[in-house]
Amino acid sequence: MMIDKAYCIVFLSPLAGRMEIFMIKESIPIVKSDVIVFKKKLKNELILRTKYSLDRSNFKLNACAKAFFELCNGENTCEDIINEMNRRFSDIPVEVIQRDFEKTLKEFQKRGVIGWKNSINAFADDMEKKLN
């Protein structure tokens, strides 16, 4: 399956420079299904609403974000997910997939959609740097 590189970029505007990756690749993200109150699957997209959405607004995941979401099953590590996405979208550089996954995962975390198996947050190093 071939997709346009821009189509895989999720929750991002074009980046001006190189970005450091702080993600702990051994972390295991898991979707918090009890938080999702509305879920509608479309052909290449997924529409979600969480119980934290006070204005009852939905958010839409494109094909790439939907794949990330579905791979956050509590079994795959962050590294497994990046490798699987690299296999599926081999025409996209792994660095782009990793950057997009990190941004998407942070958005999922911000919206309360994912948690971490064994409480090992993939962004613990990032949070520590912000605190110091």
Side-chain angles (χ1 to χ4, degrees):
M1 179 168 133
M2 300 288 285
I3 64 169
D4 184 88
K5 289 181 185 178
Y7 187 66
C8 190
I9 295 180
V10 184
F11 306 118
L12 287 178
S13 56
L15 296 174
R18 182 154 165 67
M19 180 178 162
E20 270 188 82
I21 303 296
F22 296 112
M23 184 170 47
I24 300 170
K25 292 182 181 178
E26 295 79 24
S27 297
I28 302 172
I30 186 166
V31 170
K32 294 180 179 178
S33 51
D34 61 320
V35 170
I36 299 167
V37 295
F38 176 79
K39 182 175 170 180
K40 182 177 182 180
K41 289 185 180 184
L42 304 173
K43 184 177 179 183
N44 290 318
E45 298 174 324
L46 186 63
I47 299 173
L48 300 173
R49 182 182 325 126
T50 69
K51 65 182 181 182
Y52 303 122
S53 177
L54 300 177
D55 63 356
R56 298 183 46 88
S57 62
N58 300 329
F59 61 102
K60 185 177 3 176
L61 308 180
N62 69 15
C64 196
K66 178 183 173 192
F68 288 146
F69 180 83
E70 291 169 347
L71 289 167
C72 292
N73 59 12
E75 295 177 17
N76 296 314
T77 64
C78 290
E79 187 170 32
D80 294 337
I81 294 169
I82 292 166
N83 290 337
E84 175 59 20
M85 292 298 286
N86 190 41
R87 187 189 67 72
R88 290 183 191 185
F89 304 109
S90 59
D91 59 321
I92 299 172
V94 70
E95 297 81 19
V96 172
I97 291 171
Q98 183 170 337
R99 184 181 62 225
D100 290 352
F101 179 60
E102 179 181 3
K103 286 289 191 180
T104 302
L105 211 54
K106 283 182 178 181
E107 185 67 24
F108 288 164
Q109 183 173 297
K110 183 175 98 179
R111 292 178 182 263
V113 174
I114 61 158
W116 304 97
K117 191 169 183 178
N118 302 326
S119 299
I120 302 171
N121 185 319
F123 305 110
D125 288 345
D126 196 18
M127 291 189 303
E128 279 183 31
K129 288 179 183 184
K130 287 179 183 175
L131 291 174
N132 293 330

